[in-house]
């Protein structure tokens, strides 16, 4: 039924005139509960079908969650506020939600349902696609291996992002995760080419949204940015749709138009809360902290839409941003995200308190795909070993620092003291940088070597003699 | 093929995600597959009440309506077992993905086999003799060129008698007959319901270790062939990396890698990696001994539930040919979640964390399909099961982790602190266990390494002692400890960094032979002994600590993967260097 | 949907054809001019943005440059938004014209046939017992129990236009 070459689920039937059945509206309201609307006396409606809900002359939208004989349960994206059994007319679309796709999205600013906020007409395209997407056959996936250079040292050096990867930013409220995400969006290149950026905002404050728009102004003006904005005071349930629209647009730009697309989704915690709200209204049995048991699969249905396809240009790279409630990394949202994504970039209040931007906790952060995206032939021959050594030494430095707090720096061995000096050098020389400072990879790795040079040479056991001779700065402590 | 009755059509009355209820299907049996709706998506019968059946759909049910038809197929979920499995990738329902389109849309029904698979011709080479009495498990012939092991065509379970006819050497397709036993025809490939265990004769006593090539496992927590191991670990602890290393390097004949609710990029990576690596034993590629079952996290959830059984079923098929098979399931937690998701939608009473009450028995039934057996044909063979567990929030007290621990012989617990300090594989030496250490020790004694058990015991006590002293040193500072204790701390570090750590990316270190592993451990233990003697003789602990231990720590990287001799040859020079501190 | 006479939608074909023709005529009439105006606006904004940047480059200060980058982007954004607004106005204009021409179908000699077809269609969809009423703007609405059917001409016109979007969207597409 589908185009088997490029576009997910591009069916022949989609552009046919809507059948007159679509003009039938239903008014037999059986129940309103939370975001849910139960309609009776309905026949021929399929699961996951899209519906428009007329509430006293204003249009809302719904998705079918359950079909039971002639009863249909819908979740209303705009919420059920103000709805009453007498003022509701529901029309079913006859199929799951599809959106138009194509370059018409570039340069546009829309709300969380994809409706224009920029004064323009609705986005159109020659093709429509179902927003839920289809699973990409893993056999057709190309393992991601081309590095993305963000110009941000801590990421490029220690948690290299790879084209087609999903790498989230874990943060806590108050830290500059949006600054980091927008800096990545503004600076990232792969093989010298910039990305098309699709930014899905879910539950962000208007101040945050204004910040994102200003920072990415140039990308937007150049027609390289799609903004989908669901603000904190916008309908909650709509957030369930926002990332799906973003990813559907991104997949088409990537696999049909051949672009490298970066999708930033923030804040996934707000998204998950919307999922939880629907689940609670359905009285489903929760798994952990009230979140439904299917949250893993639900999140996976978003994050897994990243990737590269064999024999085709284009890629989808996903950077979800989420704030960990109470900074708890074991909270279901970061936990399940971490199980699905290929690593994580963790921001820490403690690092931020030492005045470092971006405040990345390098030891808790990880890019699983770095091993295939960095090193000889990808970035630089010494990259992986340098990263491993920098991190191992940081782990040791952390121990030394903890010990120093207990027994005093004076009681430390000379080696331990050199580790503490090393940590200072890593933080000020390598990790800390400006909000719009773009560093080359050679600059970044040079800074890493300078920091390592503060350690005695025999401590650098993860680096080969060859690399030490070639890259370790002359006249350092270590030589 | 299990025929369960005449096909019947019922009517869908309820759809809620993967759960569907169908009216009017008298005669449908539990586990029977129905084809639902215009796209004929596959769904399995999981409950029957009167003439109403509850189904779990193996595809996305978007668009399925109340009133759609549901047609009984008369079959259970079966796998087509024959040549052509090795080197290929299948989904959870054993449909080939290698020939499937880029986007996996519903409507690829289980009832239609891949025409490519059915059309492909294989050379059948007969080896039995017409007129013989044959029984299940006897070899009828072989199929060359079907992967890196000899593909044996066996008399299927349940069929015995006189071999009335046997095909001569010829080109045959999967479903073509190759033999007639009594009045029963046997085809090249057979169908088997994946949820049913394939029969075997018995389980012989004794343990033979599976060599994984990963030192921390082989030296400290060895796994016997036919046993089950679980690998619990929070995210980022390197679970998948460890499993991939085992898939690459363990000395099994066949690997079945089940990607159950995990990442698509990872499956691509496994496929890519195994396709490039050479199998030292055969000269072919490692992929040729591997079957991949991929049901990634965004593929339909209920097919994920089935994928575990599909994997085991394939493994048992090769076991019956006489091979040692390893099934790697990543991750059993995602499988358990699929069970939970469906039970909840079905309104079942939940037990702990929302999981159904039969979680423990379902896990037990899965792990119990592991075993070292005498097959029906009299060969000794095994299915070893290694299951990853992904505890939510790293909580080792959650139901899947705790239940799993009861049913496995080995637990390789991955520790987040080790992983964060980039100690890989991050197998914890405080939480891991093996129940087969004595049996494996006896095997090593009988096979040329009588020192195995003693070496393991010394390493374990050194680790424990170093941990204890490390905690103490964190409070009072290492410099305040007496010299011999500081040597224990040093020894612990050398053991951890020089032996237990292993660089999966390194050509020298990614795989480690049993002999090289033993040599590395002996080297560290000798160095520790030397250091202790030096301290006793009055050499200051600080100068020993600050000596260059690089030659010990780099030995694993700087010597070939099987080069035990090169490791041992370092010993004299290293000890001489230490003695020079006097 | 099952159980309906196949090709039932054919009764609506004449309506759709008329509406489609009206829409395309409107596009031809107002489209060209609109596109030209939009392009001129964007070109002017592009020149202004380039000018701002060039001035900043001449000034040479980092701060000036980054401020100028921001300003030039904003100029482009404003121009872009103006064009978008203009396009949307066109779209609404088109919608209105199509609605008016749909209503005008009431005086078309084919209207009685069309109406009969719509009534037949309404009964096919809602059942023989449905109450069918002629709409004041043309076409019919029908009701059966809790279900209602809107086959009024303005609604059908809006639908037709929505389905035509790939053809007419060039009006408001980049």
């Amino acid at each position: 039924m589908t185009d088997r070459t490029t576009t997910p689920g591009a069916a022949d039937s989609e552009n046919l005139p809507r059948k007159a059945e679509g003009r039938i509206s239903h008014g037999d309201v059986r129940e309103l509960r939370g975001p849910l609307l139960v309609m009776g006396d309905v026949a021929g409606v399929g699961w996951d079908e899209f519906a428009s809900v007329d509430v006293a002359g204003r249009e809302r939208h719904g998705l079918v969650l359950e079909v039971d004989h002639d009863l249909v349960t819908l979740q209303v994206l705009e919420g059920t506020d103000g709805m009453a059994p007498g003022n509701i007319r529901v029309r079913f679309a006859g199929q799951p939600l599809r959106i138009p796709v194509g370059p018409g999205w570039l340069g546009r600013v829309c709300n969380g349902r994809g409706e224009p906020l920029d004064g323009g007409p609705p986005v159109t395209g020659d093709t429509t696609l179902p927003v839920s997407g289809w699973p990409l056959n893993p056999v057709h996936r190309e393992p991601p291996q081309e590095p993305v250079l963000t110009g941000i040292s801590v990421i490029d050096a220690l948690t290299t992002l790879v084209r087609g990867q999903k790498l989230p930013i874990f943060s806590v409220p108050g830290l500059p995760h949006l600054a980091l995400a927008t800096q990545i969006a503004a600076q990232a290149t792969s093989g010298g080419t910039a990305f098309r950026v699709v930014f899905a905002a879910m539950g962000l404050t208007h101040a945050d949204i204004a910040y994102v728009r200003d920072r990415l102004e140039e990308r937007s003006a150049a027609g390289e940015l799609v903004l989908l904005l669901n603000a904190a005071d916008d309908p909650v349930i709509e957030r369930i749709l926002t990332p799906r629209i973003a990813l559907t647009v991104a997949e088409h730009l990537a696999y049909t138009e051949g672009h490298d697309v970066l999708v930033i989704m923030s804040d996934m915690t707000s998204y998950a809360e919307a999922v939880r709200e629907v689940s609670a209204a359905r009285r489903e049995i929760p798994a952990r902290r009230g979140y439904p048991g299917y949250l893993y699969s639900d999140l996976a249905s978003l994050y897994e839409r990243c990737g590269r396809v064999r024999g085709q240009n284009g890629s989808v790279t996903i950077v979800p941003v989420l704030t960990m409630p109470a900074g708890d990394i074991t909270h279901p949202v970061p936990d399940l995200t971490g199980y699905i994504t290929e690593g994580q970039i963790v921001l820490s209040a403690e690092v931020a308190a030492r005045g470092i931007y971006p405040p990345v906790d390098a030891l808790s952060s990880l890019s699983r795909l770095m091993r295939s995206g960095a090193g000889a032939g990808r970035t630089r021959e010494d990259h992986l070993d340098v990263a491993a050594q920098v991190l191992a030494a940081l782990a040791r430095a952390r121990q030394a620092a903890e010990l120093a707090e207990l027994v005093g720096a004076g009681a430390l061995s000379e080696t331990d003291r050199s580790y503490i000096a090393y940590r200072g050098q890593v933080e000020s020389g390598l990790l800390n940088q400006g909000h719009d400072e773009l560093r080359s990879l050679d600059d970044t790795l040079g800074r890493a070597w300078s920091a390592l040079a503060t350690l005695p040479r025999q401590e650098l056991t993860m680096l080969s003699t060859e690399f030490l001779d070639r890259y370790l700065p002359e006249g350092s402590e270590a030589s | 093929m299990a025929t369960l009755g005449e096909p019947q059509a019922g009517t869908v009355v309820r759809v809620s995600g993967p759960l569907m209820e169908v009216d009017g299907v008298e005669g449908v049996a539990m586990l029977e597959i129905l084809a639902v709706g215009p796209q004929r998506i596959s769904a399995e019968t999981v409950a029957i009440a009167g003439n109403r059946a509850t189904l779990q759909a193996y595809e996305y049910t978007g668009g399925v309506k109340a009133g759609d038809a549901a047609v009984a197929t008369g079959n259970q979920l079966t796998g087509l077992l024959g040549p052509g499995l090795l080197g290929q990738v299948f989904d959870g329902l054993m449909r080939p993905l290698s020939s499937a389109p880029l986007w996996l849309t519903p409507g690829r029904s289980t009832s239609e086999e891949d025409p490519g698979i059915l059309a492909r011709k294989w050379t059948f080479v007969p080896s039995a003799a017409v007129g013989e009495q044959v029984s299940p498990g006897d070899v009828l012939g072989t199929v060359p060129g079907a992967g890196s092991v000899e593909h044996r065509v066996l008399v299927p379970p349940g069929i015995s008698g006189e071999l009335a006819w046997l095909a001569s050497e010829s080109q045959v397709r999967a479903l073509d007959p190759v033999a007639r036993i009594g009045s029963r025809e046997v085809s090249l490939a057979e169908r088997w319901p994946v949820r049913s265990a394939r029969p075997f004769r018995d389980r012989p006593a004794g343990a033979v270790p599976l060599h994984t090539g990963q030192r921390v496992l082989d030296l400290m927590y060895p796994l016997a062939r036919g046993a089950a191991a679980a690998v619990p670990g929070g995210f980022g602890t390197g679970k998948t990396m460890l499993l991939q290393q085992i898939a690459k390097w363990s000395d099994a004949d066949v690997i079945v890698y089940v990607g159950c609710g995990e990442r698509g990029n990872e499956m691509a990576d496994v496929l890519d990696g195994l396709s490039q690596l050479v199998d030292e034993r055969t000269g072919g590629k490692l992929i040729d001994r591997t079957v991949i079952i991929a049901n990634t996290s965004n593929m339909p959830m209920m097919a994920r539930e089935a994928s575990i059984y599909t994997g085991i079923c394939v493994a048992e098929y090769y076991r019956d040919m006489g091979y040692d098979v390893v099934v790697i399931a990543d991750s059993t937690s995602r499988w358990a979640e699929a069970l939970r998701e469906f039970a909840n939608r079905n309104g079942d009473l939940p037990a702990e964390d929302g999981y159904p009450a039969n979680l423990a028995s379902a896990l037990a039934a899965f792990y119990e399909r592991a075993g070292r057996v005498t097959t029906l044909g009299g060969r000794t063979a095994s299915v070893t099961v290694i299951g990853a567990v992904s505890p939510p929030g790293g909580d080792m007290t959650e139901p899947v982790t705790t239940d799993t621990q009861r049913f496995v012989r080995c637990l390789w617990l991955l520790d987040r602190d080790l992983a964060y300090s980039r100690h890989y594989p991050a197998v914890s030496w405080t939480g891991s266990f093996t129940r087969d250490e004595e049996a494996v020790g006896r095997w090593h004694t009988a096979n040329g390494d009588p020192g195995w058990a003693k070496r393991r015991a010394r390493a374990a006590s050194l680790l424990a002692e170093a941990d204890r002293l490390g905690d103490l040193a964190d409070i009072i500072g290492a410099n305040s400890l007496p010299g011999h204790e500081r040597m224990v701390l040093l020894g612990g570090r050398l053991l951890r960094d020089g032996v237990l750590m292993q660089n999966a990316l390194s050509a020298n270190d990614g795989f480690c032979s049993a002999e090289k592993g033993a040599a590395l451990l002996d080297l560290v233990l000798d160095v520790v002994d030397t250091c202790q003697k030096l301290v006793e003789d009055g050499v200051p602990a600080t100068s020993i600590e600050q000596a260059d231990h690089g030659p010990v720590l780099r030995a694993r990287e700087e010597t070939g993967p099987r080069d035990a001799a090169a490791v041992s040859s370092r010993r004299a020079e290293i000890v001489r260097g230490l003695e020079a501190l006097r | 949907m099952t159980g309906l006479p196949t090709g039932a939608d054919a009764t609506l074909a004449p309506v759709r054809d008329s509406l489609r023709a009206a829409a395309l005529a409107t596009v031809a009439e107002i489209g060209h001019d609109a596109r030209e105006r939009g392009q001129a606006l964007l070109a002017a904004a592009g020149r202004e943005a380039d000018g701002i940047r060039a001035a900043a480059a001449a000034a040479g200060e980092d701060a000036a440059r980054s401020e100028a980058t921001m300003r030039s982007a904003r100029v482009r954004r404003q121009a872009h938004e103006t064009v978008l607004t203009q396009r949307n106005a066109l779209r609404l204009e088109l919608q209105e014209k199509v609605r008016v021409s749909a209503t005008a179908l009431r005086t078309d000699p084919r209207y009685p046939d069309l109406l009969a077809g719509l009534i037949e269609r309404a009964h096919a969809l809602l059942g023989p017992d449905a109450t069918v009423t002629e709409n004041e703007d043309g076409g019919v609405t029908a009701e059966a129990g809790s279900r209602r059917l809107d086959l009024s001409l303005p609604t059908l016109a809006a639908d037709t236009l929505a389905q035509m979007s790939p053809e007419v969207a060039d009006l408001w597409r980049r």
Side-chain angles (χ1 to χ4, degrees), chain A residues 48 66-67 69 296 335 339 365, chain B residues 13-15 60 261 391 393 422:
Chain A
D48 204 22
E66 180 163 343
V67 175
H69 293 84
Y296 174 85
D335 186 55
Y339 272 119
S365 302
Chain B
V13 294
R14 180 171 170 232
V15 189
Y60 168 67
R422 301 311 192 260

Side-chain angles (χ1 to χ4, degrees), chain B residues 278-405:
Chain B
V278 173
D279 185 346
E280 283 184 15
R281 301 178 308 162
T282 63
K285 299 288 190 223
L286 279 174
I287 192 73
D288 295 330
R289 68 161 189 177
T290 311
V291 182
I292 298 177
I293 311 284
N295 220 92
T296 56
S297 56
N298 57 339
M299 284 161 76
M301 186 181 295
M302 288 305 132
R304 183 195 304 174
E305 191 271 328
S307 66
I308 289 275
Y309 298 101
T310 304
I312 285 272
C313 175
V314 169
E316 288 174 346
Y317 178 61
Y318 284 102
R319 175 202 69 191
D320 290 349
M321 290 181 208
Y323 298 117
D324 286 321
V325 187
V326 173
V327 179
I328 294 172
D330 184 13
S331 151
T332 60
S333 295
R334 306 303 164 215
W335 166 76
E337 279 170 9
L339 286 182
R340 173 173 70 183
E341 160 74 356
F342 191 82
N344 291 353
R345 281 188 190 264
N346 201 27
D348 296 352
L349 207 59
E352 222 179 325
D353 280 2
Y355 285 103
N358 67 347
L359 174 67
S361 56
L363 280 166
F366 165 64
Y367 283 109
E368 277 305 299
R369 279 177 81 171
R372 182 159 167 269
V373 305
T374 308
T375 66
L376 294 180
R379 289 168 288 267
T380 302
S382 62
V383 171
T384 308
V385 174
I386 301 173
V389 181
S390 316
D395 171 11
M396 298 297 166
T397 65
E398 62 92 35
V400 180
T401 312
T402 51
D403 284 339
T404 300
Q405 292 192 21

Side-chain angles (χ1 to χ4, degrees), chain A residues 320-331:
Chain A
V321 180
L322 57 89
T323 48
M324 302 181 281
D328 179 7
I329 201 167
T330 69
H331 181 278

Side-chain angles (χ1 to χ4, degrees), chain B residues 53 107-108 220 247 293 303 328 379 414 418 442 557:
Chain B
R108 301 181 305 130
M220 304 300 294
I293 311 284
I328 294 172
R379 289 168 288 267
L414 301 186
L418 286 178
R442 281 196 296 276
E557 287 262 22

Side-chain angles (χ1 to χ4, degrees), chain B residues 235-498:
Chain B
F235 69 81
T237 53
K239 202 162 47 243
T240 300
M241 193 68 179
L242 178 61
L243 295 178
Q244 289 189 11
Q245 288 299 97
I246 294 171
K248 284 174 186 166
W249 303 118
S250 65
D251 62 350
D253 300 304
V254 172
I255 304 285
V256 180
Y257 197 103
V258 185
C260 173
E262 288 292 310
R263 307 175 183 91
N265 279 340
E266 231 154 52
M267 300 317 298
D269 194 41
V270 170
L271 185 59
D272 216 48
L274 294 177
S275 303
Q276 285 169 17
L277 285 170
V278 173
D279 185 346
E280 283 184 15
R281 301 178 308 162
T282 63
K285 299 288 190 223
L286 279 174
I287 192 73
D288 295 330
R289 68 161 189 177
T290 311
V291 182
I292 298 177
I293 311 284
N295 220 92
T296 56
S297 56
N298 57 339
M299 284 161 76
M301 186 181 295
M302 288 305 132
R304 183 195 304 174
E305 191 271 328
S307 66
I308 289 275
Y309 298 101
T310 304
I312 285 272
C313 175
V314 169
E316 288 174 346
Y317 178 61
Y318 284 102
R319 175 202 69 191
D320 290 349
M321 290 181 208
Y323 298 117
D324 286 321
V325 187
V326 173
V327 179
I328 294 172
D330 184 13
S331 151
T332 60
S333 295
R334 306 303 164 215
W335 166 76
E337 279 170 9
L339 286 182
R340 173 173 70 183
E341 160 74 356
F342 191 82
N344 291 353
R345 281 188 190 264
N346 201 27
D348 296 352
L349 207 59
E352 222 179 325
D353 280 2
Y355 285 103
N358 67 347
L359 174 67
S361 56
L363 280 166
F366 165 64
Y367 283 109
E368 277 305 299
R369 279 177 81 171
R372 182 159 167 269
V373 305
T374 308
T375 66
L376 294 180
R379 289 168 288 267
T380 302
S382 62
V383 171
T384 308
V385 174
I386 301 173
V389 181
S390 316
D395 171 11
M396 298 297 166
T397 65
E398 62 92 35
V400 180
T401 312
T402 51
D403 284 339
T404 300
Q405 292 192 21
R406 294 159 51 198
F407 308 121
V408 295
R409 303 291 302 170
C410 265
L411 190 78
W412 300 328
L413 178 75
L414 301 186
D415 182 273
R416 179 164 279 171
D417 289 338
L418 286 178
Y420 278 4
S421 49
R422 301 311 192 260
H423 176 112
Y424 294 121
V427 176
S428 154
W429 45 87
T430 49
S432 302
F433 65 72
T434 175
R435 300 189 214 265
D436 289 325
E437 59 196 83
E438 285 178 24
V440 169
R442 281 196 296 276
W443 184 89
H444 279 293
T445 304
N447 286 272
D449 186 8
W452 186 88
K454 192 167 163 236
R455 198 185 299 119
R456 176 180 185 273
R458 264 205 78 187
S461 77
L462 178 57
L463 286 169
E465 187 66 2
D467 277 356
R468 186 182 69 80
L469 293 172
D471 289 345
L472 193 60
D474 281 348
I475 300 167
I476 60 170
N479 292 352
S480 322
L481 294 176
H484 70 275
E485 292 190 341
R486 288 168 68 176
M487 290 307 102
V488 172
L489 279 180
L490 173 66
R493 180 178 156 224
L494 296 179
L495 177 54
R496 289 191 302 269
D497 294 359

Side-chain angles (χ1 to χ4, degrees), chain A residues 221, chain C residues 42-56 68-69 71-77:
Chain C
L42 285 176
R47 282 192 300 275
E48 188 182 345
D50 291 345
I52 294 172
R53 285 215 219 195
T69 306
R71 258 172 52 220
S72 81
R74 236 172 251 155
V75 165
R76 272 194 241 184
R77 172 161 93 177

